[in-house]
Amino acid sequence: MPYLLYIENNEVQKEWELTTFPVTIGRHDGCDLVFKDSRVSRRHAEVIEGADGLVITDLQSTHLTLVNSRPIETHNLQHGDHVCLGAKIDLLYLVSPDKALLAQFIDDHTEVNIDDEESAYGMHVTQTLNTAIDSLKKGGSLVDSQVLNNINTEIQRSVEELKCLYEVGQAVNSEQELSIVLQLIIKHVIRATGGERGIIMFYHPDKDELVPVIARDVDNTLTTDERNRFSRSIAKKAMETGQAVVAKDTLQDPFLSSKSVVDFNIRSSICAPLIAKGRTLGTLYVDAKETMKEFSPRDAEFFTALANQSAMAIENARLVTDLRSANRALQHKLRELQALYEVSQSLITVNDLDTVLEKILDQSIDVIGSQRGSILLFDEETEDLSVRVVRGVINPAFNEEPRIKLKRGEGLAGQVVETGEGVISNLGVNDPLFLKKADREADIKGILCVPLKKQNEVIGAINLVNKRDDEAFNEDDLKLLTSLASQAAVTIENFRLYHLAVFDGLTNLHVHRYFQAYLQKEFEKAKRYDTELSLILTDIDHFKSFNDTYGHQIGDLVLIEVARLLKETARTTDLVARYGGEEFCAVLPETNLEGAEAFAERLRVAIEEHKLEVKGQTLSVTISLGVSNFKVCKAKDKDELIKFADTALYQAKHAGRNRFQTYRPPLSSRELAERIAKRKTSGSKASSSTKGE
């Protein structure tokens, strides 16, 4: 049974078995675990059952919840975890009894070492303790109660200060971000010194000035910029001397005569330089308004030790932050390169522009983490920007109107095309540049739009809408999408040029020149490795009469439909092309004669059964096909393979059309004689059988 142990003064003060949930922890009497300490919030933290065990959650406490010296929002509890509430209450989480772990925990969290025993502060602590011991050794005589009280106060103060140094030292060895380390330092500093306000300032050599980076009040709330004012004279002296400076009393100390000090009614203040590895990082500053609070030289000794620890923690945190920032930059670059690689790989087998655009848009949406988007392309002739592909639209009507037209400068996309610069808008429909023609009920919260550029010419734009989890688009998203768009623009332009070279503009099939090159390559492969290769030539029956009757526009529609059915019938490994006019062809690698004949018949039936609705008329066409096979025909080269398929096509047309014919080479004299002899033998057996009957 899991349980929590409350440890104070080297002993277990209380133990709670965790049996029912949730378990609330705080200062309020209604909590399950109650701690009457000012640093513990009324409802400080909560323990619940999670999928992988118990989970502790900070309930937005004032003084934070730490697990193993690190501030948490939520944390999956593990055996031996150290939970600290308000930097005061120490709890040990155990899954089962563990005396050794408990003893180690007590030892680790009560022993405080001062590395620099020769420091002023260390010497002062030693002197205080020696004085106490000497006083108590007065030969058994009674010690004045006031003396004992003073000794006890000094000892308690030293313990608190040592504990603070230890906790700041823990921050030195942590791997927290700089912002978290600064929060921990300022919290401990205010608590240990009894001050009311703490400020950490960083020195900027280029401007030769101190700039506050964090300022907090005694209740750990962040102060406003107006309240971050401080005595620059005391901070400057601490920087120049490299030592702590104490301003004891407003009425007597010249350091406390500045306007900011008077305005805030500051009674006393103390400031020490933050020095790490011989370099002054800035200053640590604390002040107080209490009438009786006066910082002393004794405070300066402790404050110097505290500033030294803090400087080490800040320097280490800066390194951690810089490393994490560099890692994030590397991760961003890796993410970018991976996205670019995936885009380029996905386009290798694509043979139409809309599919190219769809793949680019899908990758963009996935990489940026948006909900939906669109790609718009610019038409140089009409000077219109039109939506070519969309993804994830809420209103289905938008899909029915995918060719929305924009002019340069119109809408966010129009502005991007006009300026050539990407735009981030997290205003949604409230943005004055929002595309009014789009769906106004689409719950648009943010838009990221970047140009598609080929060199310095804008050819379109990528438009993404709404990040997932209601996040806002940021500059990193803009940079990444800009990189993707740059690669995409090159891909689109290369595809256009390639498409013009190898694809027929009407049917979107490969052109005759590409077919010849492809067949040559496949013929050489089949010949080298003795594999199968088949070729089909096809011709639309009576197509000239069809054009004469219905016109060339209807004829073009027929060509487009036949090409579509041809692509649907073919495998991804096959190549289909427009041979010329109304003639088409299909190269079938690693396909024997029986497979080619089956292909031809499927295509013939598909076209025969297909009906074309044109201007209220139902039209249909048929095709004739010629089939040749590399091994059956024994073709010497690809030209012979084409010749044999063409011969078979002619035979199919001569035989009545709407059929396929297979080319088979003429039999040799020997083959013919063998076949005749075989037929005679077969006939003789049949006659004998008949006579027997």
Side-chain angles (χ1 to χ4, degrees):
M1 182 68 66
Y3 55 95
L4 283 172
L5 303 179
Y6 170 41
I7 300 172
E8 187 180 32
N9 298 327
N10 303 352
E11 294 181 356
V12 178
Q13 302 295 329
K14 199 165 183 179
E15 178 180 318
W16 294 273
E17 287 190 2
L18 305 178
T19 56
T20 58
F21 303 93
V23 178
T24 56
I25 310 172
R27 197 173 68 249
H28 191 269
D29 291 336
C31 293
D32 300 298
L33 280 60
V34 180
F35 296 95
K36 295 296 185 179
D37 190 283
S38 60
R39 297 178 181 86
V40 178
S41 299
R42 290 172 60 83
R43 294 183 77 254
H44 198 105
E46 182 180 69
V47 179
I48 63 172
E49 285 187 296
D52 300 321
L54 300 189
V55 178
I56 187 169
T57 301
D58 182 81
L59 301 178
Q60 299 183 343
S61 63
T62 301
H63 295 285
L64 307 178
T65 301
L66 286 77
V67 177
N68 303 326
S69 302
R70 297 186 179 185
I72 59 100
E73 292 182 359
T74 184
H75 173 80
N76 290 323
L77 288 169
Q78 304 294 322
H79 183 66
D81 276 348
H82 170 212
V83 180
C84 185
L85 309 177
K88 179 69 175 178
I89 306 299
D90 292 315
L91 304 173
L92 178 64
Y93 173 77
L94 297 178
V95 176
S96 59
D98 193 332
K99 292 183 179 180
L101 182 60
L102 175 59
Q104 184 63 47
F105 176 84
I106 292 175
D107 184 59
D108 291 343
H109 291 81
T110 56
E111 181 179 349
V112 179
N113 297 318
I114 300 179
D115 295 331
D116 187 6
E117 295 184 355
E118 299 300 320
S119 67
Y121 177 72
M123 294 175 64
H124 176 82
V125 172
T126 303
Q127 184 180 357
T128 298
L129 295 176
N130 289 335
T131 301
I133 294 171
D134 292 340
S135 298
L136 295 172
K137 289 182 177 179
K138 286 185 176 182
S141 62
L142 295 176
V143 181
D144 183 81
S145 61
Q146 184 62 45
V147 174
L148 285 175
N149 287 336
N150 291 339
I151 291 172
N152 183 62
T153 300
E154 279 296 312
I155 291 175
Q156 289 294 326
R157 180 175 178 179
S158 297
V159 169
E160 286 295 319
E161 291 174 349
L162 289 171
K163 186 177 181 180
C164 180
L165 286 173
Y166 172 77
E167 290 171 341
V168 174
Q170 290 292 96
V172 172
N173 298 320
S174 70
E175 297 182 356
Q176 298 287 354
E177 292 276 355
L178 179 60
S179 60
I180 295 177
V181 170
L182 292 176
Q183 293 181 46
L184 290 172
I185 290 173
I186 208 71
K187 180 185 69 173
H188 292 312
V189 166
I190 293 175
R191 187 194 71 185
T193 61
E196 292 187 71
R197 184 180 64 151
I199 304 175
I200 295 176
M201 293 161 276
F202 285 168
Y203 177 66
H204 291 252
D206 53 336
K207 298 180 180 179
D208 191 27
E209 65 176 4
L210 289 164
V211 178
V213 291
I214 187 171
R216 292 195 176 270
D217 287 331
V218 68
D219 62 355
N220 205 35
T221 57
L222 186 67
T223 61
T224 63
D225 291 339
E226 178 64 22
R227 296 193 58 198
N228 290 350
R229 290 189 293 170
F230 57 95
S231 174
R232 296 189 179 275
S233 53
I234 191 174
K236 184 178 180 182
K237 185 174 181 180
M239 286 281 297
E240 291 174 349
T241 62
Q243 298 178 349
V245 179
V246 177
K248 186 177 180 181
D249 193 336
T250 303
L251 302 177
Q252 302 178 9
D253 202 310
F255 285 117
L256 296 180
S257 61
S258 66
K259 186 176 183 302
S260 61
V261 170
V262 174
D263 289 345
F264 289 112
N265 193 31
I266 295 174
R267 173 72 177 185
S268 184
S269 63
I270 186 171
C271 185
L274 295 167
I275 302 174
K277 300 178 181 179
R279 184 168 65 93
T280 303
L281 308 179
T283 59
L284 182 63
Y285 173 94
V286 174
D287 59 32
K289 294 185 287 185
E290 295 180 4
T291 304
M292 300 303 294
K293 180 64 181 179
E294 294 182 356
F295 293 111
S296 64
R298 162 76 170 83
D299 294 307
E301 296 170 357
F302 165 65
F303 205 72
T304 298
L306 189 57
N308 291 336
Q309 285 278 63
S310 299
M312 293 174 60
I314 290 170
E315 183 70 11
N316 288 350
R318 275 182 165 177
L319 292 175
V320 171
T321 301
D322 290 344
L323 286 172
R324 289 180 177 175
S325 178
N327 184 59
R328 283 194 293 268
L330 288 173
Q331 290 293 329
H332 178 84
K333 192 64 178 178
L334 179 62
R335 182 180 166 206
E336 176 183 330
L337 293 174
Q338 182 68 21
L340 294 175
Y341 172 76
E342 290 176 358
V343 168
S344 61
Q345 287 296 109
S346 66
L347 300 176
I348 292 176
T349 59
V350 174
N351 60 9
D352 68 276
L353 180 59
D354 282 344
T355 303
V356 171
L357 298 176
E358 288 171 358
K359 288 184 175 292
I360 291 171
L361 182 57
D362 288 339
Q363 288 289 345
S364 300
I365 290 173
D366 183 60
V367 170
I368 301 300
S370 64
Q371 295 179 355
R372 54 189 186 271
S374 59
I375 290 182
L376 305 91
L377 293 184
F378 185 71
D379 191 326
E380 295 181 355
E381 294 183 1
T382 63
E383 296 189 351
D384 287 331
L385 191 65
S386 62
V387 177
R388 289 295 299 264
V389 294
V390 293
R391 283 286 190 268
V393 295
I394 291 179
N395 188 350
F398 193 83
N399 278 322
E400 298 173 2
E401 192 187 10
R403 305 297 186 208
I404 291 178
K405 305 278 186 191
L406 297 174
K407 297 295 184 182
R408 285 183 179 270
E410 184 181 1
L412 287 174
Q415 181 189 14
V416 166
V417 171
E418 178 72 20
T419 64
E421 300 292 335
V423 173
I424 297 175
S425 173
N426 290 310
L427 301 176
V429 295
N430 296 318
D431 195 310
L433 290 173
F434 178 71
L435 181 57
K436 303 299 189 295
K437 294 181 181 180
D439 182 16
R440 294 301 300 255
E441 300 178 356
D443 188 30
I444 295 179
K445 298 176 182 178
I447 296 177
L448 174 62
C449 189
V450 300
L452 290 164
K453 290 184 180 179
K454 65 168 186 178
Q455 297 178 342
N456 293 323
E457 180 185 356
V458 179
I459 62 173
I462 300 178
N463 191 63
L464 302 183
V465 179
N466 291 0
K467 285 197 74 174
R468 297 165 190 162
D469 302 323
D470 293 328
E471 295 182 7
F473 290 110
N474 54 48
E475 290 297 323
D476 286 342
D477 297 326
L478 178 62
K479 292 178 182 177
L480 180 54
L481 189 59
T482 300
S483 296
L484 284 173
S486 178
Q487 177 65 32
V490 173
T491 301
I492 292 169
E493 189 60 22
N494 289 343
F495 178 84
R496 280 176 166 173
L497 296 174
Y498 173 78
H499 198 273
L500 289 173
V502 302
F503 287 94
D504 176 63
L506 177 65
T507 64
N508 205 32
L509 298 182
H510 285 91
V511 296
H512 183 271
R513 181 173 60 256
Y514 187 89
F515 154 72
Q516 291 282 356
Y518 184 85
L519 182 60
Q520 178 67 36
K521 181 183 69 173
E522 291 299 323
F523 187 90
E524 291 174 355
K525 186 189 300 182
K527 189 175 181 180
R528 183 181 301 115
Y529 300 109
D530 193 29
T531 57
E532 296 282 358
L533 175 64
S534 295
L535 173 66
I536 296 177
L537 293 182
T538 180
D539 187 29
I540 300 175
D541 297 329
H542 306 296
F543 188 71
K544 184 178 184 303
S545 299
F546 192 94
N547 270 339
D548 294 340
T549 304
Y550 299 104
H552 286 82
Q553 288 185 334
I554 304 300
D556 287 347
L557 291 177
V558 171
L559 292 174
I560 293 171
E561 286 299 292
V562 170
R564 182 181 64 80
L565 293 170
L566 180 56
K567 284 193 291 185
E568 291 179 356
T569 305
R571 306 166 302 179
T572 55
T573 55
D574 302 329
L575 177 99
V576 292
R578 188 177 182 185
Y579 193 78
E582 68 274 21
E583 293 179 314
F584 301 90
C585 57
V587 181
L588 312 178
E590 300 184 9
T591 303
N592 59 23
L593 182 61
E594 290 75 16
E597 290 176 336
F599 178 100
E601 180 61 15
R602 286 199 308 272
L603 179 61
R604 186 196 67 77
V605 172
I607 293 174
E608 180 185 35
E609 295 179 349
H610 182 69
K611 306 301 178 184
L612 184 64
E613 301 291 335
V614 180
K615 296 181 180 180
Q617 297 184 71
T618 301
L619 306 178
S620 63
V621 296
T622 61
I623 61 171
S624 299
L625 307 98
V627 181
S628 63
N629 177 266
F630 163 65
K631 288 189 173 183
V632 173
C633 298
K634 300 178 182 177
K636 298 177 182 177
D637 51 35
K638 58 100 174 171
D639 292 332
E640 265 200 347
L641 193 64
I642 296 172
K643 176 184 174 182
F644 295 149
D646 191 49
T647 300
L649 174 60
Y650 175 79
Q651 292 171 350
K653 285 180 168 295
H654 186 72
R657 295 182 169 84
N658 189 25
R659 68 191 65 225
F660 74 86
Q661 191 73 37
T662 302
Y663 179 83
R664 299 182 186 277
L667 297 175
S668 65
S669 300
R670 182 178 176 180
E671 290 172 333
L672 183 59
E674 290 177 351
R675 180 169 293 186
I676 292 172
K678 187 176 180 181
R679 286 180 178 179
K680 285 182 178 180
T681 303
S682 178
S684 175
K685 289 181 179 179
S687 298
S688 298
S689 178
T690 302
K691 289 177 182 179
E693 292 176 357

